[in-house]
Structure formats: C-alpha cells, structure tokens
Amino acid sequence: INNFLNNNILKDYKFNSGKVNINLNLINNKLNLYTDLGGINLNYLPLDLPIEIINGSILIRNDNLKFNKVNLIIQYKVYFLSFQVISG
C-alpha cells in the first residue's frame, strides 16, 4: 500500500464523474478499508483510455487486497474482475 501511495499513480487518471465513499479503520497499525466503486467514470491519460466502473468493491484488510465482483467497461469492452492479493 505504501508503494501505491508513494508512486502517485493517480496522476495518470482523470476522474470525470462518480463518487468514492471509503470506510477506513486503522487500529494498532492494521488497515481495514472498504469502498463501493459503482458509477465511476474516468480516463487513463497515457493511453487516452475511457474506463467506466459499473459496480463492485475493493476491500483492504491488513496487507491483503481484494477486488470483489468489479464490472467495468474499458474502451467499449466489458470486463469482470474478482481476485485477491494475499501478502505472505
């Protein structure tokens, strides 16, 4: 997570519409985060690539990252993401 924040990866995106509500708890240096991604419309600037997130969520617990049933449209093609990254 620190690499994500330090690299400022968000500078490559232009957010056009939508809201991101984040529920975050930090207890004893353990991060728990949940967000619903539905209704976000953005562009990936280096490739001028339109991205629309229809629905889905992201969960971060400790050092684990989970994309849960994320439906999105990238340049007019529909994609479904559902995976988990576990730090061991």
Side-chain angles (χ1 to χ4, degrees):
I1 294 173
N2 285 335
N3 288 336
F4 175 81
L5 296 174
N6 291 335
N7 289 330
N8 196 14
I9 195 168
L10 296 178
K11 68 176 173 47
D12 291 336
Y13 294 88
K14 177 185 176 198
F15 291 88
N16 300 319
S17 65
K19 294 180 184 177
V20 177
N21 294 317
I22 297 174
N23 295 320
L24 177 101
N25 291 314
L26 184 61
I27 301 171
N28 296 328
N29 291 328
K30 293 184 179 182
L31 175 68
N32 289 304
L33 179 142
Y34 173 83
T35 184
D36 181 6
L37 299 173
I40 298 172
N41 190 316
L42 54 102
N43 277 34
Y44 179 63
L45 296 174
L47 299 177
D48 193 29
L49 194 65
I51 301 170
E52 180 182 356
I53 302 174
I54 308 297
N55 57 19
S57 62
I58 294 177
L59 173 67
I60 298 173
R61 182 166 290 144
N62 301 324
D63 289 333
N64 300 326
L65 169 67
K66 183 176 182 180
F67 281 75
N68 189 35
K69 299 177 184 175
V70 178
N71 290 290
L72 55 131
I73 300 171
I74 301 175
Q75 199 165 0
Y76 313 110
K77 292 185 181 182
V78 177
Y79 295 90
F80 175 78
L81 300 175
S82 197
F83 64 89
Q84 186 170 357
V85 178
I86 300 173
S87 175

